[in-house]
Amino acid sequence: MKEKIPEMAIKGLNNKILDIIKKYKLPKNARILVLGCGRGAIEQKLLNQGYYDITSVDYFTDFELKNKCKFIKLDLNLENFAQIIKEKSHEEYDIIIAVEVIEHLFNPYNFLKNIRGLLSEKGLVIISTPNTHSFLSRVDYLITGYPTFFIAEPELGGHVSPIFHKIFKSYLDLLNLKILEHTFHGSFLIYLKSYKIYSFRSIIYLLMLSLLYYLLQPLMLINRKISKDTNSIYIITKK
């Protein structure tokens, strides 16, 4: 296997996704679809674990494993991107993975609808996204007016659609999908270590964020479970 591909997701998130796949004991011949694959960090981990039938999709073309996985250049904002994938690869998939993708798209419901059309009868969908309900995100909102990871100005491929749990669940209900498990990843300390200081203003922001985060800890008693970590991970299947 070639040199390790850098991971764009928050530290440890791809390993958490791999642990979920192991937990559900998905067979090595499972048909896997990775939406928003980037350079191929999660695919490299899957290949190392013995999975081989992998289709990777992204609008950008810097995917590094085109000789080992099927690659489809595709805009996931398209209304019926599922049909294009079916024409170029499999009709259905046993595992569909979207790591930090849905928040980049203009229509999350359309994204889920297309996923529904690509999922095999007993297949699993694994979606991760910034946890807008995290305590860190709530503190960030007090300071900036935006949830964590949504502060920067939107750009091509940027974060444009915050995902709120109840609304997300209502989308799934409409599509006859259900949540098997809702888990979390990413601590405040991981966020601090990954934050890039680029100006004096960013230093002030980081100091304010840290101070309020620890001063307001008692508020975590409200909705404690969903407030825990910076990223949500949903494991989804058909009803």
Side-chain angles (χ1 to χ4, degrees), residues 44-61:
Q44 190 172 60
K45 291 179 183 293
L46 290 167
L47 289 165
N48 286 340
Q49 291 296 317
Y51 294 96
Y52 55 88
D53 192 346
I54 304 171
T55 301
S56 302
V57 177
D58 208 311
Y59 178 78
F60 301 100
T61 57

Side-chain angles (χ1 to χ4, degrees), residues 200-213:
F200 179 72
R201 186 178 179 181
S202 69
I203 296 172
I204 298 299
Y205 157 76
L206 209 58
L207 289 172
M208 288 178 62
L209 184 68
S210 301
L211 181 63
L212 286 172
Y213 184 87

Side-chain angles (χ1 to χ4, degrees), residues 8-23:
M8 303 303 292
I10 192 167
K11 185 177 179 181
L13 181 56
N14 282 338
N15 286 335
K16 182 82 177 260
I17 301 297
L18 203 65
D19 288 341
I20 290 169
I21 292 171
K22 290 177 183 176
K23 175 182 174 180

Side-chain angles (χ1 to χ4, degrees), residues 57-60 71-76 78 81-82 84-85:
V57 177
D58 208 311
Y59 178 78
F60 301 100
F71 176 75
I72 301 172
K73 183 185 184 302
L74 185 61
D75 185 351
L76 296 172
L78 291 175
F81 69 77
I84 297 170
I85 293 173

